[in-house]
Structures are given as C-alpha cells and as structure tokens.
Amino acid sequence: MKIIVPMAGRGSRLRPHTLTIPKPLIPIAGKPIVHRLVEDIAGVLNQPIEEIAFIIHESFGKKVEDELIAIAEKLGAKGTIYYQNEALGTGHAIMCAEDSLSGPAVIAYADTLIRADFDFDASADSVIWVKQVDQPEAFGVVNLNENNEIIELVEKPKEFVSDLAVIGIYYFKDVGVLKNELQLVIKNNIIHGGEYQINDGIKQMMAKGMKFVPGEVDEWMDCGNKDVTVDTNNRMLNFLHNDGIHLVDYDVKQENSTIIPPCYIGEDVVLINATVGPNVSLGKGCHVINSTIKNSLIQTHSHIKNATLDNAMIGNHVNYDGNFTSISIGDYSVLE
C-alpha cells in the first residue's frame, strides 16, 4: 500500500502562520497535521505501508523534506518527495508523483484530519471517504445508488443531492488507472476553475463502470483557517485525552500554576503564576507568566506575559506582553 499526500502551497488562509511554516507542518496537539494524517490513515488501513509520497513546493526546503522523510520512515515506509511548483490543481498535483502511481494507494490532501475505525471495501475499485454534513451545498458531495455505490460527484450542489461531503481522502485498488485517466485530462486540457481536477479522472473511471463506494469517517477536522484550526486542536486534545494519551511533558517547570486538562505541554515549558487550559497546546520552549490561556494553540519558543487568551493562535518565537506599550507586528497579523 502507498499513501500519496499532495501538500500544495503554504496556505494563504492561515497567514501569518504559514509564511515560514507550510500549513501541513502546523502542529495540532504537539504533532504536525501531515504527521497525524498519515498515522491516522495507516491505522485505518491496518496494513503495511510501502511508500509515502509527498508532493510539495520546492521552496519548502531541505529541512521540511527531511522531516517528511522521517515521518514516512517512522511508519516503516519509504519516503519520496515530488515537486508541484505551479498551482495547477489537484489532478496536476497527483501527476507530479507519476513515478509512484502504481498498485493500491490512498490519496490524502494534507489540510484535514480524521478519526475513523472501520473496515473499508478493498474489493471496490475505489473508496471515497465522506462525512455527513449539515450544509452540503458548501461542499462537494457524492450521489449514491440503491446499492450504496457512488455514481456521481457533485460540486456544491444548488439542489439537494446528498449530505455526504467528500473530505479529500481516496483509496484506489490500482492508482495506475487514475494515473492513465489524469494523463488524458491533462493531454486534452480538461480544466475546471482554471485547474486540472482529480474529479475529472474519477468521472472517467466511473463512466467505464468501475465500482466506487463511500467510506464514512467518525470525525472530520479541517485546518483551513485560524478559527477552525484552533477548534481542531481542541477536539484532537479531547480525543487523545480520552484515549489515555499522556500529553504533558514530565519535566514542565511550574511555579504557582495550574494546568486544566486536556492540554499538550511540550518540552522545556515554563509556567509561572499561570492558568493553562482547557484545550491548550504549548509547544517546546514556551514560557507563560502571569497569564490565563484557554482554547488556544501556541507553537514553539514563544513567551507570553500578562495576558488573558481565548481562541488564540500564536506562532513560533513570539514575545507577547498583554501590558504592551510598544508594538512590532509583521505582515498578515491579526489582533481582535
């Protein structure tokens, strides 16, 4: 089994956090989004992973590439890096990994997280993971026949088709078939929204009678913008806490401070006169002094003083004093 992970660009909707770190490497409950994603998929598949292929922009750099290779190797898989330097769509991104497109594979876009526990239908030509949603008109959805097979993909339907939204994770019994169809999409310049789309390859497979079935996840968590990313961090902390996962470093330094679970507290964190939690992630090397923080995601080596924070997302190496009299704020920053 292979996992193909298109990671696209850095993610403009999550600026300024993605100006220096690609969105799939933003930590959720102390672990990068893409790391959690491939671990969750590997857990659902419950079979050995031969290769994990990451499609990134060349500007991500060697450090990011090394981190991605390490993620694959931790799961006992070969890690491969491919480049998509032009934003030409989901189908184009997949074709950038053409050399890895053979045999059974899962394709997963690296801006989402799932919680799932089921056996998927490996006899089908493809499984498209879906989640029941309240507002299907805002998503791409699947249309099912009486045999619970997918017969149509409909993007943001104006009239009700179904409430099963496509979440961006797909299984193909032979991903080489999708490769052949996407080659035709690109050769014939079939474009929607100015881009080559995976859906056009899938539709051609359906037209040839291939069997597509839905796989429904228990939880689908987006990481598209700041608010939903903070919410995803909150939800993941609760899942991990309920699973009995230890999330607080044993050597955290505390002075007159309280941690209200669930929280992720990384290495070398210092808490002085602080109340942290619930639903807070503090990355490695953070210092929190004279502050109260809840429902927030703070990355690494940031120092927070004299602050009351709720629904906050703070990046790396930030110095924030709630009693500020002098301000230095960079591009795309938001204070509300």
PDB file of all heavy atoms in Angstrom, residues 275-287:
ATOM      1  N   THR A 275      -2.457  30.001  34.585  1.00  0.00           N
ATOM      2  CA  THR A 275      -3.510  29.000  34.461  1.00  0.00           C
ATOM      3  C   THR A 275      -3.627  28.659  32.985  1.00  0.00           C
ATOM      4  O   THR A 275      -3.908  29.537  32.161  1.00  0.00           O
ATOM      5  CB  THR A 275      -4.853  29.512  34.994  1.00  0.00           C
ATOM      6  OG1 THR A 275      -4.716  29.845  36.382  1.00  0.00           O
ATOM      7  CG2 THR A 275      -5.932  28.450  34.844  1.00  0.00           C
ATOM      8  N   VAL A 276      -3.397  27.380  32.661  1.00  0.00           N
ATOM      9  CA  VAL A 276      -3.373  26.941  31.268  1.00  0.00           C
ATOM     10  C   VAL A 276      -4.407  25.843  31.089  1.00  0.00           C
ATOM     11  O   VAL A 276      -4.379  24.831  31.794  1.00  0.00           O
ATOM     12  CB  VAL A 276      -1.974  26.435  30.877  1.00  0.00           C
ATOM     13  CG1 VAL A 276      -1.983  25.867  29.459  1.00  0.00           C
ATOM     14  CG2 VAL A 276      -0.952  27.563  30.978  1.00  0.00           C
ATOM     15  N   GLY A 277      -5.323  26.043  30.143  1.00  0.00           N
ATOM     16  CA  GLY A 277      -6.330  25.055  29.841  1.00  0.00           C
ATOM     17  C   GLY A 277      -7.713  25.504  30.260  1.00  0.00           C
ATOM     18  O   GLY A 277      -7.879  26.533  30.927  1.00  0.00           O
ATOM     19  N   PRO A 278      -8.712  24.730  29.819  1.00  0.00           N
ATOM     20  CA  PRO A 278      -8.554  23.521  28.998  1.00  0.00           C
ATOM     21  C   PRO A 278      -8.274  23.857  27.528  1.00  0.00           C
ATOM     22  O   PRO A 278      -8.351  24.993  27.121  1.00  0.00           O
ATOM     23  CB  PRO A 278      -9.923  22.838  29.155  1.00  0.00           C
ATOM     24  CG  PRO A 278     -10.872  23.991  29.338  1.00  0.00           C
ATOM     25  CD  PRO A 278     -10.124  25.008  30.152  1.00  0.00           C
ATOM     26  N   ASN A 279      -7.937  22.813  26.783  1.00  0.00           N
ATOM     27  CA  ASN A 279      -7.792  22.877  25.328  1.00  0.00           C
ATOM     28  C   ASN A 279      -6.687  23.844  24.888  1.00  0.00           C
ATOM     29  O   ASN A 279      -6.909  24.735  24.067  1.00  0.00           O
ATOM     30  CB  ASN A 279      -9.114  23.266  24.667  1.00  0.00           C
ATOM     31  CG  ASN A 279     -10.249  22.349  25.056  1.00  0.00           C
ATOM     32  OD1 ASN A 279     -10.064  21.143  25.185  1.00  0.00           O
ATOM     33  ND2 ASN A 279     -11.426  22.914  25.272  1.00  0.00           N
ATOM     34  N   VAL A 280      -5.502  23.627  25.437  1.00  0.00           N
ATOM     35  CA  VAL A 280      -4.355  24.459  25.073  1.00  0.00           C
ATOM     36  C   VAL A 280      -3.200  23.576  24.636  1.00  0.00           C
ATOM     37  O   VAL A 280      -2.902  22.567  25.280  1.00  0.00           O
ATOM     38  CB  VAL A 280      -3.908  25.356  26.253  1.00  0.00           C
ATOM     39  CG1 VAL A 280      -2.610  26.090  25.923  1.00  0.00           C
ATOM     40  CG2 VAL A 280      -5.003  26.362  26.593  1.00  0.00           C
ATOM     41  N   SER A 281      -2.535  23.963  23.541  1.00  0.00           N
ATOM     42  CA  SER A 281      -1.270  23.350  23.134  1.00  0.00           C
ATOM     43  C   SER A 281      -0.162  24.370  23.299  1.00  0.00           C
ATOM     44  O   SER A 281      -0.241  25.472  22.744  1.00  0.00           O
ATOM     45  CB  SER A 281      -1.321  22.887  21.677  1.00  0.00           C
ATOM     46  OG  SER A 281      -2.112  21.739  21.529  1.00  0.00           O
ATOM     47  N   LEU A 282       0.864  24.010  24.080  1.00  0.00           N
ATOM     48  CA  LEU A 282       2.051  24.843  24.242  1.00  0.00           C
ATOM     49  C   LEU A 282       3.248  24.062  23.719  1.00  0.00           C
ATOM     50  O   LEU A 282       3.594  23.011  24.256  1.00  0.00           O
ATOM     51  CB  LEU A 282       2.283  25.189  25.717  1.00  0.00           C
ATOM     52  CG  LEU A 282       1.304  26.159  26.400  1.00  0.00           C
ATOM     53  CD1 LEU A 282       1.677  26.298  27.871  1.00  0.00           C
ATOM     54  CD2 LEU A 282       1.329  27.517  25.722  1.00  0.00           C
ATOM     55  N   GLY A 283       3.881  24.570  22.665  1.00  0.00           N
ATOM     56  CA  GLY A 283       4.998  23.871  22.075  1.00  0.00           C
ATOM     57  C   GLY A 283       6.281  24.022  22.875  1.00  0.00           C
ATOM     58  O   GLY A 283       6.355  24.748  23.875  1.00  0.00           O
ATOM     59  N   LYS A 284       7.299  23.336  22.418  1.00  0.00           N
ATOM     60  CA  LYS A 284       8.604  23.291  23.089  1.00  0.00           C
ATOM     61  C   LYS A 284       9.131  24.693  23.381  1.00  0.00           C
ATOM     62  O   LYS A 284       9.085  25.578  22.536  1.00  0.00           O
ATOM     63  CB  LYS A 284       9.595  22.538  22.210  1.00  0.00           C
ATOM     64  CG  LYS A 284      10.994  22.411  22.811  1.00  0.00           C
ATOM     65  CD  LYS A 284      11.906  21.606  21.917  1.00  0.00           C
ATOM     66  CE  LYS A 284      13.308  21.487  22.533  1.00  0.00           C
ATOM     67  NZ  LYS A 284      14.210  20.664  21.698  1.00  0.00           N
ATOM     68  N   GLY A 285       9.626  24.874  24.614  1.00  0.00           N
ATOM     69  CA  GLY A 285      10.327  26.093  24.970  1.00  0.00           C
ATOM     70  C   GLY A 285       9.461  27.300  25.254  1.00  0.00           C
ATOM     71  O   GLY A 285       9.979  28.408  25.390  1.00  0.00           O
ATOM     72  N   CYS A 286       8.143  27.127  25.357  1.00  0.00           N
ATOM     73  CA  CYS A 286       7.281  28.271  25.648  1.00  0.00           C
ATOM     74  C   CYS A 286       7.375  28.662  27.126  1.00  0.00           C
ATOM     75  O   CYS A 286       7.519  27.804  27.997  1.00  0.00           O
ATOM     76  CB  CYS A 286       5.828  27.951  25.289  1.00  0.00           C
ATOM     77  SG  CYS A 286       5.484  27.962  23.515  1.00  0.00           S
ATOM     78  N   HIS A 287       7.260  29.962  27.391  1.00  0.00           N
ATOM     79  CA  HIS A 287       7.191  30.480  28.746  1.00  0.00           C
ATOM     80  C   HIS A 287       5.872  31.236  28.888  1.00  0.00           C
ATOM     81  O   HIS A 287       5.547  32.091  28.052  1.00  0.00           O
ATOM     82  CB  HIS A 287       8.344  31.441  29.043  1.00  0.00           C
ATOM     83  CG  HIS A 287       9.671  30.764  29.167  1.00  0.00           C
ATOM     84  ND1 HIS A 287      10.734  31.311  29.867  1.00  0.00           N
ATOM     85  CD2 HIS A 287      10.125  29.577  28.680  1.00  0.00           C
ATOM     86  CE1 HIS A 287      11.780  30.489  29.794  1.00  0.00           C
ATOM     87  NE2 HIS A 287      11.427  29.436  29.085  1.00  0.00           N
TER      88      HIS A 287
END
